[in-house]
Amino acid sequence: MRNLKMTIQYDGGRYKGWQKQKEGESTIQWKIENVLKRMTGEEIQVIGCGRTDAGVHAENYIANFHTNSELSVETMMDYLYEFLPEDIVVKSIKDTTERFHARYNAKGKTYVYRINNGEVRNVFNRKYTYHTSVKLNLDAMREGAKYLVGTHDFQSFTSQKPKTKSTERHIKYININKTGDMIEIEVDGNGFLWNMVRIIVGTLLEVGMGHMKPSDVGRILEEKKRSESGPIAQAKGLCLKEVHY
Amino acid sequence: MRNLKMTIQYDGGRYKGWQKQKEGESTIQWKIENVLKRMTGEEIQVIGCGRTDAGVHAENYIANFHTNSELSVETMMDYLYEFLPEDIVVKSIKDTTERFHARYNAKGKTYVYRINNGEVRNVFNRKYTYHTSVKLNLDAMREGAKYLVGTHDFQSFTSQKPKTKSTERHIKYININKTGDMIEIEVDGNGFLWNMVRIIVGTLLEVGMGHMKPSDVGRILEEKKRSESGPIAQAKGLCLKEVHY
């Protein structure tokens, strides 16, 4: 049986996230499975590298699926390009080893959160960027972000209920860069809890706006309580950039 | 009476262009006039720098309007920001001289046409970019473009019926640049006929794909017949970048 690895780009704006929760919900996984079923005549199950929240985007989402189909990858690419909606693109498909599993084998992920910090919103990136005209103090945000780098219990930075599963994760780096009015917060880690990147960004925004001190981030981490951290940042600003294997 | 000059950014995707043709049509002019009428209580008429086709975008569209309102420009900006839809942004408003007229005083315009020449479409710029995976020969396109620079009769490059109005225009430059998979064709001229930029781009695409020779562009110009030039390029790739006064 073949095992095929896909790299997928999607605009998550009109989807309930990657993974279906209940039958009939519009998710990226469901859209792709439907096309693959039509293409192969098999009951294909697509294994994703992880869940993404409703409204979150992906530049290079990784998924795999098993099939007995003998179609060439070129034919599969053409078929998917033709039948997927215009907000989902399969950028590549490759035959891979039988044991490859997009979720279990993922060693880490890089997310990027985009903020337009200009006076007014920009109509051309409005669907992929969070806009605030409140001038953000990037130095304070960078100082606050330092507390999060390393291995920590991120209970304060997830919507996941306490004590259901381990909330320890490792963050390798958080880079905050600005080009013109556009701020990019890049977060790289070995794995992320539910809503974790968006709550980290929401908390750093509080620091950037002066509502919290950089050192509050360290305190919040130690408190291990969701109620201490900042609000969850809007989904549309978040994009899964890379998955590491 | 005050005369106010506005710089406007819009995503033209869901509009019938800048200017209303008949009552009730959804145009950018109509959207802005409605908000200004509510704001001032006056019958405001907004004078645009020119028509843009349905689906064409603008980075810096210029318009002006006269009013007796004593509201500050800051208040006007806030009002427009609040009540315009998210695909139209008034970037600035300034009091200007009584005689300023956005259309009559315009000395020239710069348009940019964006082409994604990658293997697959990109979901994030799909609404502002024309996609073709046929590898374009940029050198041939640049050579063809040279024939159009200068003062010419552009009858072959407009949807305007022959002999209704003058079809002579001056093109200052056509620059074709590529960054990654993204090609930008920048066209600067003293004025443009109906559909002129899109027919120029459509013709240059024929050259880039090898369906026409660069020298054909010169021949087409001399023929003064719309039937000789290439097809009209998709509206969504075109954006009005600057208006010169």
Side-chain angles (χ1 to χ4, degrees), chain B residues 44-63:
Chain B
I44 299 287
Q45 187 161 17
V46 175
I47 300 160
C49 62
R51 293 181 182 198
T52 58
D53 295 342
V56 170
H57 317 292
E59 182 62 45
N60 295 296
Y61 188 94
I62 306 293

Side-chain angles (χ1 to χ4, degrees), chain A residues 61-80:
Chain A
Y61 188 94
I62 306 293
N64 71 294
F65 67 96
H66 298 272
T67 178
N68 288 313
S69 166
E70 289 175 9
L71 291 170
S72 71
V73 291
E74 289 77 18
T75 304
M76 289 184 182
M77 283 283 283
D78 289 347
Y79 197 94
L80 285 158

Side-chain angles (χ1 to χ4, degrees), chain B residues 79-128:
Chain B
Y79 198 94
L80 286 157
Y81 198 71
E82 183 70 21
F83 292 105
L84 281 172
E86 62 163 15
D87 47 13
I88 304 175
V89 168
V90 174
K91 292 164 82 176
S92 74
I93 305 182
K94 280 176 188 155
D95 278 282
T96 183
T97 55
E98 209 185 320
R99 297 179 64 90
F100 175 78
H101 189 287
R103 189 165 71 256
Y104 297 157
N105 295 159
K107 290 197 176 120
K109 293 194 182 88
T110 312
Y111 278 95
V112 60
Y113 195 95
R114 294 192 174 89
I115 300 162
N116 172 5
N117 204 202
E119 283 297 314
V120 289
R121 66 182 176 272
N122 180 309
V123 302
F124 301 116
N125 62 30
R126 70 187 192 276
K127 297 195 175 195
Y128 313 115

Side-chain angles (χ1 to χ4, degrees), chain A:
Chain A
M1 206 170 193
R2 290 167 79 186
N3 186 11
L4 289 137
K5 179 184 174 182
M6 295 186 282
T7 304
I8 307 158
Q9 183 191 56
Y10 58 81
D11 171 349
R14 63 186 187 104
Y15 297 101
K16 300 250 176 214
W18 164 263
Q19 192 168 332
K20 62 177 171 231
Q21 314 290 327
K22 24 180 196 213
E23 208 54 46
E25 267 189 348
S26 187
T27 65
I28 296 103
Q29 182 189 19
W30 188 79
K31 288 280 178 191
I32 296 175
E33 282 180 352
N34 269 359
V35 176
L36 291 176
K37 281 174 193 172
R38 273 209 281 172
M39 183 181 81
T40 60
E42 299 170 11
E43 272 302 308
I44 299 287
Q45 187 161 18
V46 175
I47 300 161
C49 62
R51 294 181 182 196
T52 58
D53 295 342
V56 170
H57 316 292
E59 183 62 47
N60 294 295
Y61 188 94
I62 306 293
N64 71 294
F65 67 96
H66 298 272
T67 178
N68 288 313
S69 166
E70 289 175 9
L71 291 170
S72 71
V73 291
E74 289 77 18
T75 304
M76 289 184 182
M77 283 283 283
D78 289 347
Y79 197 94
L80 285 158
Y81 197 71
E82 184 70 23
F83 292 105
L84 280 173
E86 63 164 15
D87 50 11
I88 303 175
V89 168
V90 174
K91 292 165 81 175
S92 73
I93 306 182
K94 280 177 188 155
D95 279 281
T96 182
T97 55
E98 209 185 322
R99 298 179 63 90
F100 175 78
H101 189 286
R103 189 164 73 255
Y104 297 156
N105 294 160
K107 291 197 176 121
K109 292 191 183 89
T110 312
Y111 278 94
V112 60
Y113 196 94
R114 294 193 175 89
I115 301 162
N116 172 5
N117 204 199
E119 283 297 314
V120 289
R121 64 181 176 272
N122 181 308
V123 302
F124 302 115
N125 63 30
R126 69 187 193 275
K127 297 195 176 197
Y128 313 116
T129 312
Y130 165 70
H131 173 246
T132 175
S133 58
V134 179
K135 279 290 159 250
L136 297 171
N137 180 342
L138 296 195
D139 286 335
M141 290 169 75
R142 287 184 188 114
E143 205 186 316
K146 279 186 196 163
Y147 292 93
L148 302 172
V149 175
T151 304
H152 302 285
D153 181 342
F154 285 96
Q155 184 62 61
S156 298
F157 295 90
T158 177
S159 306
Q160 186 176 305
K161 288 209 185 83
K163 289 166 192 159
T164 48
K165 280 182 262 180
S166 165
T167 46
E168 192 179 278
R169 292 292 185 278
H170 178 82
I171 290 187
K172 199 170 158 190
Y173 64 79
I174 301 179
N175 288 337
I176 305 178
N177 291 307
K178 191 171 182 186
T179 315
D181 286 330
M182 192 61 62
I183 296 166
E184 290 198 350
I185 303 179
E186 205 172 278
V187 186
D188 186 287
N190 69 342
F192 293 93
L193 303 164
W194 187 29
N195 293 156
M196 180 168 154
V197 183
R198 289 166 62 196
I199 297 170
I200 286 176
V201 170
T203 306
L204 293 178
L205 282 169
E206 290 291 289
V207 174
M209 291 176 181
H211 304 153
M212 284 185 186
K213 297 192 298 290
S215 60
D216 284 335
V217 180
R219 181 187 53 75
I220 292 164
L221 197 61
E222 281 170 28
E223 297 261 12
K224 299 188 181 51
K225 274 193 220 144
R226 171 66 186 100
S227 55
E228 296 299 309
S229 52
I232 185 165
Q234 285 181 18
K236 68 173 185 175
L238 187 61
C239 183
L240 173 61
K241 194 177 171 187
E242 296 287 347
V243 187
H244 313 298
Y245 290 97

Side-chain angles (χ1 to χ4, degrees), chain B:
Chain B
M1 206 170 192
R2 290 167 79 186
N3 186 12
L4 290 137
K5 178 184 174 183
M6 296 185 283
T7 304
I8 306 159
Q9 183 191 57
Y10 58 81
D11 171 349
R14 64 187 186 103
Y15 297 100
K16 300 254 177 211
W18 165 262
Q19 192 168 332
K20 60 177 173 232
Q21 314 291 327
K22 23 180 198 212
E23 210 51 49
E25 266 189 351
S26 187
T27 65
I28 296 101
Q29 182 189 17
W30 188 78
K31 288 279 178 191
I32 295 175
E33 283 180 352
N34 268 359
V35 176
L36 291 176
K37 281 175 194 172
R38 273 210 280 171
M39 184 180 81
T40 59
E42 299 170 11
E43 271 301 308
I44 299 287
Q45 187 161 17
V46 175
I47 300 160
C49 62
R51 293 181 182 198
T52 58
D53 295 342
V56 170
H57 317 292
E59 182 62 45
N60 295 296
Y61 188 94
I62 306 293
N64 71 295
F65 67 97
H66 298 272
T67 179
N68 288 313
S69 166
E70 291 176 5
L71 291 171
S72 71
V73 292
E74 289 76 19
T75 304
M76 289 185 183
M77 284 282 285
D78 288 349
Y79 198 94
L80 286 157
Y81 198 71
E82 183 70 21
F83 292 105
L84 281 172
E86 62 163 15
D87 47 13
I88 304 175
V89 168
V90 174
K91 292 164 82 176
S92 74
I93 305 182
K94 280 176 188 155
D95 278 282
T96 183
T97 55
E98 209 185 320
R99 297 179 64 90
F100 175 78
H101 189 287
R103 189 165 71 256
Y104 297 157
N105 295 159
K107 290 197 176 120
K109 293 194 182 88
T110 312
Y111 278 95
V112 60
Y113 195 95
R114 294 192 174 89
I115 300 162
N116 172 5
N117 204 202
E119 283 297 314
V120 289
R121 66 182 176 272
N122 180 309
V123 302
F124 301 116
N125 62 30
R126 70 187 192 276
K127 297 195 175 195
Y128 313 115
T129 313
Y130 165 70
H131 174 247
T132 175
S133 58
V134 178
K135 278 288 158 253
L136 297 171
N137 180 341
L138 296 196
D139 286 335
M141 290 170 75
R142 288 185 188 112
E143 206 185 318
K146 279 185 196 164
Y147 292 93
L148 302 172
V149 175
T151 304
H152 303 284
D153 181 344
F154 285 96
Q155 184 62 62
S156 297
F157 294 91
T158 178
S159 306
Q160 187 176 304
K161 287 207 185 85
K163 290 166 192 161
T164 48
K165 281 181 263 180
S166 165
T167 46
E168 192 179 277
R169 292 292 185 278
H170 178 81
I171 289 187
K172 199 170 159 191
Y173 63 79
I174 301 179
N175 288 336
I176 305 178
N177 291 307
K178 191 172 182 184
T179 314
D181 286 331
M182 191 61 61
I183 295 166
E184 290 197 352
I185 304 180
E186 205 172 275
V187 186
D188 185 287
N190 69 341
F192 292 93
L193 303 164
W194 186 30
N195 292 156
M196 180 169 154
V197 183
R198 289 166 61 195
I199 297 170
I200 287 176
V201 170
T203 306
L204 294 178
L205 282 169
E206 290 291 287
V207 174
M209 291 176 181
H211 305 152
M212 283 184 185
K213 296 191 298 292
S215 60
D216 285 335
V217 179
R219 181 186 55 74
I220 292 164
L221 197 60
E222 282 170 27
E223 298 261 11
K224 298 188 182 48
K225 274 194 220 140
R226 169 67 185 101
S227 55
E228 295 299 308
S229 52
I232 185 165
Q234 285 180 19
K236 69 173 184 175
L238 187 60
C239 183
L240 173 61
K241 194 178 170 187
E242 296 287 348
V243 186
H244 313 299
Y245 288 96

